Amino acid sequence: MFNTFGRFFTVTTWGESHGPAIGATVDGCPPGVPISEAAIQPWLDRRRPGQSKYTTQRREPDAVEILSGVFGGQTTGHTIQLMIRNRDQRSRDYSGIAEKFRPGHADITYWQKYGIRDHRGGGRSSARETAARVAAGGLARAVLGELIPGIQIRGALVQMGPHGIDRSRWDWATAEENPLRCPDAAAAERWADYLDGLRKSGNSCGAMIEVVARHVPAGLGAPVYARLDTDLATACMSINAVKGVEIGTGMAAASLTGVENADEIRLGHDGRPEFCSNHAGGILGGISTGQNIVVRFAVKPTSSILAPRKTITKSGELTEIVTKGRHDPCVGIRAVPVGEAMVACVILDHVLMHRGQVGENRGTIG
Amino acid sequence: MFNTFGRFFTVTTWGESHGPAIGATVDGCPPGVPISEAAIQPWLDRRRPGQSKYTTQRREPDAVEILSGVFGGQTTGHTIQLMIRNRDQRSRDYSGIAEKFRPGHADITYWQKYGIRDHRGGGRSSARETAARVAAGGLARAVLGELIPGIQIRGALVQMGPHGIDRSRWDWATAEENPLRCPDAAAAERWADYLDGLRKSGNSCGAMIEVVARHVPAGLGAPVYARLDTDLATACMSINAVKGVEIGTGMAAASLTGVENADEIRLGHDGRPEFCSNHAGGILGGISTGQNIVVRFAVKPTSSILAPRKTITKSGELTEIVTKGRHDPCVGIRAVPVGEAMVACVILDHVLMHRGQVGENRGTIG
Amino acid sequence: MFNTFGRFFTVTTWGESHGPAIGATVDGCPPGVPISEAAIQPWLDRRRPGQSKYTTQRREPDAVEILSGVFGGQTTGHTIQLMIRNRDQRSRDYSGIAEKFRPGHADITYWQKYGIRDHRGGGRSSARETAARVAAGGLARAVLGELIPGIQIRGALVQMGPHGIDRSRWDWATAEENPLRCPDAAAAERWADYLDGLRKSGNSCGAMIEVVARHVPAGLGAPVYARLDTDLATACMSINAVKGVEIGTGMAAASLTGVENADEIRLGHDGRPEFCSNHAGGILGGISTGQNIVVRFAVKPTSSILAPRKTITKSGELTEIVTKGRHDPCVGIRAVPVGEAMVACVILDHVLMHRGQVGENRGTIG
Amino acid sequence: MFNTFGRFFTVTTWGESHGPAIGATVDGCPPGVPISEAAIQPWLDRRRPGQSKYTTQRREPDAVEILSGVFGGQTTGHTIQLMIRNRDQRSRDYSGIAEKFRPGHADITYWQKYGIRDHRGGGRSSARETAARVAAGGLARAVLGELIPGIQIRGALVQMGPHGIDRSRWDWATAEENPLRCPDAAAAERWADYLDGLRKSGNSCGAMIEVVARHVPAGLGAPVYARLDTDLATACMSINAVKGVEIGTGMAAASLTGVENADEIRLGHDGRPEFCSNHAGGILGGISTGQNIVVRFAVKPTSSILAPRKTITKSGELTEIVTKGRHDPCVGIRAVPVGEAMVACVILDHVLMHRGQVGENRGTIG
């Protein structure tokens, strides 16, 4: 009801930023899929904090333990429990702000609703929860690898603060090499300077992430509610700090005419339908077209900043707040593997639902 | 699993564009709420086609019938069946395109998945399904009116094709008076000229809708998955033709710094917390702040256009397509009441979930 | 949440005994299954009231209308709306008891919870709701017929009041021929006399129903929660007036030793595993064995009886009550097709879930 | 979908008999409820193996760890992770039977479906899973204690093999004192002799458990599907080895007449409605009456027995099997706390759903 994501392949996350552990309880996974902690760990390593000066200096090994649902190196078809212990919970960092609400942060609403102020950190609203998503995503990727060989799900940062990229320079390898996950090497340098400046002034910035899924078969999704685009939007909007999500041309589709927006159809060399453009982002009427699936989401700037902001205390007094702690100047960077993980979970969920309801695609062309 | 929306207050829609009827099966509604067909009908009338030259000329009375769940003028707490008969299904209009796929339309994916080409219209992918949402939304508004007196949910068009509005001229009354649902009277005139031109050339355009909910209490939502913003995104992205959705500052949050984005907090005249700005769109950490909730979504241009586009047939031949039928040049106009309805359903859903889990907000300030 | 049954193939029923119509909203149905009203109607006719002196004299044609989800004689894969209009709602029959609570009836709890007394009949708690289940079951049977050719789901009455059957005389054809659905012709005669006596004295009696599903493949179900036996129990216990449900040997398993209860395994003529007995009722560890699935459930006596009983009024006064109306002296008779329908829905649900999660059974024997 | 129980207060269990740990992931729990490991442990201790010669000699401390969802000694309203480590997994005991299927056991269906033979024990089908239910039940009891002070949920064994009890001797204290959980001291002695005999001969027996919930308020449940009795049946039937479940008079209701079954209503000393009998088991029309809720379920005999039984091997050869291991001669004994836990979870689930949908009961009497 509250902490579960997915329809058939479901992921229930648990754990707080400063408790003993966090994790993901995964249900609906097919049996017989080879999996191990070693296969999931690299995805967690991609998200792990403390890897560059641009991310929080909290040191967490983020080692995943599989507690159930795997036997003899294969999934059993039963609940898979993925646990990650918290190691470096330096609670004292938060002591200065325990009675104040951080502007732009969940502090105040969390307090109003639950009557709880977890002075050790954000409690359940901490972005640390996303490590559990990445673990579940690693599992989803393994299952997808069995069911749809060749599928590829990758993400990159396409905007940092006001700075975008030149899409003609897009290079996936570049995105892996630089700590900012920027696919445009020239932009990456500018971004680094910008971020250094922000960091030194105790400020932070927002970012835009793009996740692309290649070789997703046509036919996944449904026309209403269980739409593939809806579920991708749900997945991305459920990530902390995300304020917007779009598919294909996205918000810019508002500006287009029908003539411009129509992705014309032709036949490819293999005799299969092919689209001359991809404004649709790989999804028409909620169902995948076989083109690349393209999802973008915007992450707001970290609200825990050193620059002083006006706020109030729990007892209702006006004050100023300065948040020390160890925070990412741009949480968008670490949101890349999180977005990838969510897209992987959504696609797997739809692969299983499709198999359950339809079996195999029923319509042929040509 | 496939056709249901909501967690506690659930809406399952049914029906095809050219079948005998469409409707919404609503579960989880509280008992004892005064309701009647007359109370729901005005919301359907707001969405009804054929009201101006800017919307499809299909003539549908869209009269809602309550078949169950209401007794003696009050909800009973049991399933409420809302049915709307289809009256004006002119199937012949589609005969010319039965073998061709409309670019930018669900035709091709629907066929590939289900092996069905409902030559009478879009079948389940038709935007006619949204009438059922509006009926459910009318019911949700009635329940909200009982539980949260004073709540107000309103929408308007804030962009049509490339043309925006001047927010300083925003006037809700204006949005109700002009057929384009534009809150800026000057912009409305420009839009009308633009749309006339498109319509005459057999083209169409996209649009952006903004829905604002006022007087929503603080405390609705949750930090993960059952977030209020996530559920609003799900709700809006599930509407046909929507390609992007955002909360508050939305995609533009990517461009901001933490200092800019932080909505500073002070005390209002009533001694309750007040925010100096609303970049958050009324939601922090997935939970409502008590500020206005602001959701925007982009609708792509209608894909059924008179301008010829390249495509293929079911048998795999290259061809061109021209879609006659009766289509909206800008479906965004009629998406306004649909967006309002979805927001109403989401807020009610969270009101009931909150009451179930928490009872009343537990934290006080001041 | 409240009115839906099933996990993947879901059935949401709606409607009250004395409203305009009742129905079932079905989701998750595979596309491409031939179906029509004519294919569903016979199952409704089996349950229809007024067919003999042993069932209520209310005259309802119970004609099902398919309002959505079927096109060109086939399921589309979208929501299927099955509607049955109420025709013979003689509300005046209830006027004498509007202020009194019937002992053994939902009147009192319904009133306490919802504050509603639907003086026209039982409202949502009426057994009329079960017609919608039978319609959904007819659809489920059609889908099962496509996916598991040869599957057979049949029910019979095995006890009426204190009178049982001689299992050695079991004959399915007999059960279809007599109005009491008794598979033992000799018992049927005794039962008829017994029931005549009860009816004349304004009394009623309970009954036990047995439903048997043949040719269900091994492998449906799961070890925990989504067990096939659990879902069958849920299905049967959700039928009005059911007070107990059992699988295979059932409650009598408490009396057995491990040696007695163990269904020994051998190889059949076809080289496949075969069981020497079926105490398990076709389900081991929540998963089907391939043997006959055997479910039994007990229905309590109709609580609307002519014999006077002590009760209270809404205003808290002691009184006596005599219920006139048109009621079944033994509701168990008409519960047979309802039980069959529920078993059909459960098995289909598990067939689709199994296909979604596992694809095909993974273990082979021999 | 597969491993979750509950509608609003949901429990997802995980873990295998011989893996590192098992546990329950609980969602939907209200915030602010005092809870600790110490408060849950006594319920686990009631179920723990190795406490008498009548239960398996496996030695498990069954110490519960709360990994999330509790802060400062109170629930936070977020996912609660309850983990129990496995300590005494003596896998070698199973080596002799790894290639054979135990008659009456899930071995064969588990293998057919998943292609997995967890030679270390029953894998996911092991009754060890029920420890996680008991932990969740302990949490549910703590929440119920806050929301419904005075509620009491207790269970006892009312039949062991063919031996019943004399209900006039029922004494709850006795049920707590003897290792067989028998509420009739005289019967307990006979049962002990019977069970000793079975144990020595390598045999086992079934049992019947009765759980009684006192001081449950009227109004919990719904007339269709989300019925309180349906959810109790689901809960009990989902426990390993359960073959039947009944409410109140249960299966025996089939034998009664309407006159006998009607629980007449009068006014109690406090002016509130009171029933002269409780055939209903505290539930009418799916909704609680305020009387004692009475649920019974039958557990089949342990299928892992020393007495040799005919069976086949994975490769399809006829053979005999003798199961050594450490098994309970009567699993029913340890099923008592499991049944209590499931009833606690169901009642809490309905308390929260009721609060969410209805708020407070709407109908008054007198």
Side-chain angles (χ1 to χ4, degrees), chain C residues 1-5 7-8 11 13 101 103-106 108-115 124-125 129 133 159-162 194 198 203-208 218-227 229-230 233-234 237-238 240-247 250-251 253-259 261-267 273 275 279-280 283-285 287-289 296-302 305 307 309-316 318 342 353-354 357-358 361-366, chain D residues 1-5 7-8 11 13 101 103-106 108-115 124-125 129 133 159-162 194 198 203-208 218-227 229-230 233-234 237-238 240-247 250-251 253-259 261-267 273 275 279-280 283-285 287-289 296-302 305 307 309-316 318 342 353-354 357-358 361-366:
Chain C
M1 167 77 59
F2 295 92
N3 288 282
T4 296
F5 169 75
R7 297 169 187 270
F8 192 102
V11 178
T13 66
F101 301 113
H105 192 278
I108 189 166
T109 52
Y110 201 87
W111 164 256
Q112 286 175 290
K113 177 168 190 136
Y114 301 110
R124 186 65 178 151
S125 69
E129 184 268 347
R133 301 177 186 229
Q159 186 184 330
M160 172 168 287
Y194 172 70
L198 282 176
N203 206 341
S204 63
C205 72
M208 183 117 43
L220 303 184
V224 189
Y225 305 122
R227 298 167 63 97
D229 43 11
T230 298
T234 302
M237 197 61 116
S238 76
N240 307 49
V242 173
K243 297 303 285 183
V245 58
E246 56 182 24
I247 306 290
M251 301 307 280
S255 311
L256 299 183
T257 65
V259 169
N261 184 65
D263 299 318
E264 292 186 310
I265 313 174
R266 63 185 178 207
L267 288 170
F275 295 83
H279 288 101
I283 302 171
L284 282 172
I287 301 173
S288 60
T289 63
R296 267 184 309 282
F297 56 94
V299 172
K300 70 178 182 184
T302 318
I305 51 179
R309 305 301 294 156
K310 288 184 189 144
T311 190
I312 58 172
T313 64
K314 270 164 62 177
S315 49
L318 288 172
M342 295 310 283
M353 281 195 287
H354 181 76
Q357 190 196 19
V358 179
N361 275 345
R362 297 174 48 85
T364 53
I365 295 173
Chain D
M1 167 77 59
F2 295 92
N3 288 283
T4 297
F5 170 74
R7 299 169 186 270
F8 192 103
V11 177
T13 66
F101 301 112
H105 193 278
I108 189 167
T109 52
Y110 201 88
W111 165 255
Q112 285 175 292
K113 178 168 190 134
Y114 301 109
R124 186 65 179 150
S125 68
E129 184 268 346
R133 301 177 186 230
Q159 187 183 328
M160 173 168 285
Y194 171 72
L198 282 177
N203 206 343
S204 63
C205 72
M208 183 116 43
L220 302 184
V224 189
Y225 305 124
R227 298 166 64 95
D229 44 11
T230 299
T234 302
M237 197 61 117
S238 76
N240 306 50
V242 173
K243 299 302 284 184
V245 59
E246 57 183 24
I247 306 291
M251 302 306 280
S255 311
L256 298 183
T257 65
V259 169
N261 185 65
D263 298 319
E264 292 187 309
I265 313 174
R266 63 184 177 206
L267 289 171
F275 296 84
H279 289 101
I283 301 172
L284 282 173
I287 300 172
S288 60
T289 63
R296 268 185 307 282
F297 56 93
V299 173
K300 69 178 183 183
T302 318
I305 50 180
R309 305 302 294 157
K310 288 184 187 146
T311 190
I312 59 173
T313 64
K314 269 164 62 177
S315 49
L318 288 171
M342 294 310 282
M353 283 196 285
H354 181 75
Q357 191 196 18
V358 179
N361 276 346
R362 297 175 47 85
T364 52
I365 295 173

Side-chain angles (χ1 to χ4, degrees), chain B residues 49-93:
Chain B
Q51 297 189 103
S52 80
K53 62 184 173 184
Y54 304 115
T55 58
T56 171
Q57 295 306 301
R58 179 168 171 168
R59 301 260 164 216
E60 286 287 354
D62 276 358
V64 67
E65 295 172 55
I66 301 176
L67 297 182
S68 70
V70 175
F71 174 65
Q74 293 200 329
T75 57
T76 60
H78 309 302
T79 330
I80 297 175
Q81 185 56 260
L82 303 169
M83 181 171 75
I84 301 162
R85 286 171 200 285
N86 290 327
R87 297 294 185 189
D88 182 20
Q89 312 102 309
R90 242 190 291 165
S91 301
R92 68 182 179 284
D93 287 337

Side-chain angles (χ1 to χ4, degrees), chain B residues 271-310:
Chain B
R272 290 201 293 183
E274 202 176 80
F275 295 83
C276 306
S277 54
N278 190 13
H279 289 102
I283 302 170
L284 282 173
I287 300 172
S288 60
T289 62
Q291 285 192 285
N292 283 357
I293 288 177
V294 181
V295 190
R296 269 185 306 284
F297 57 94
V299 173
K300 70 179 181 182
T302 318
S303 50
S304 297
I305 51 177
L306 280 166
R309 304 301 295 156
K310 288 183 189 146

Side-chain angles (χ1 to χ4, degrees), chain B residues 164-184:
Chain B
I165 59 165
D166 177 349
R167 282 183 173 261
S168 68
R169 295 174 187 270
W170 189 298
D171 178 49
W172 283 108
T174 298
E176 290 304 297
E177 285 157 15
N178 69 76
L180 303 177
R181 303 216 179 279
C182 175
D184 167 357

Side-chain angles (χ1 to χ4, degrees), chain A residues 114-183:
Chain A
Y114 301 110
I116 292 166
R117 188 70 195 270
D118 188 337
H119 56 73
R120 307 166 303 171
R124 186 63 178 151
S125 69
S126 163
R128 180 139 186 78
E129 183 267 348
T130 60
R133 301 177 185 229
V134 172
L139 171 63
R141 283 176 184 270
V143 182
L144 281 173
E146 292 286 302
L147 297 177
I148 308 179
I151 196 172
Q152 197 174 32
I153 298 166
R154 296 185 294 196
L157 226 63
V158 295
Q159 187 184 328
M160 171 167 288
H163 305 291
I165 60 164
D166 176 348
R167 284 185 170 262
S168 69
R169 294 175 187 269
W170 189 297
D171 178 49
W172 283 108
T174 298
E176 291 304 298
E177 285 158 15
N178 70 75
L180 303 176
R181 303 222 179 276
C182 176

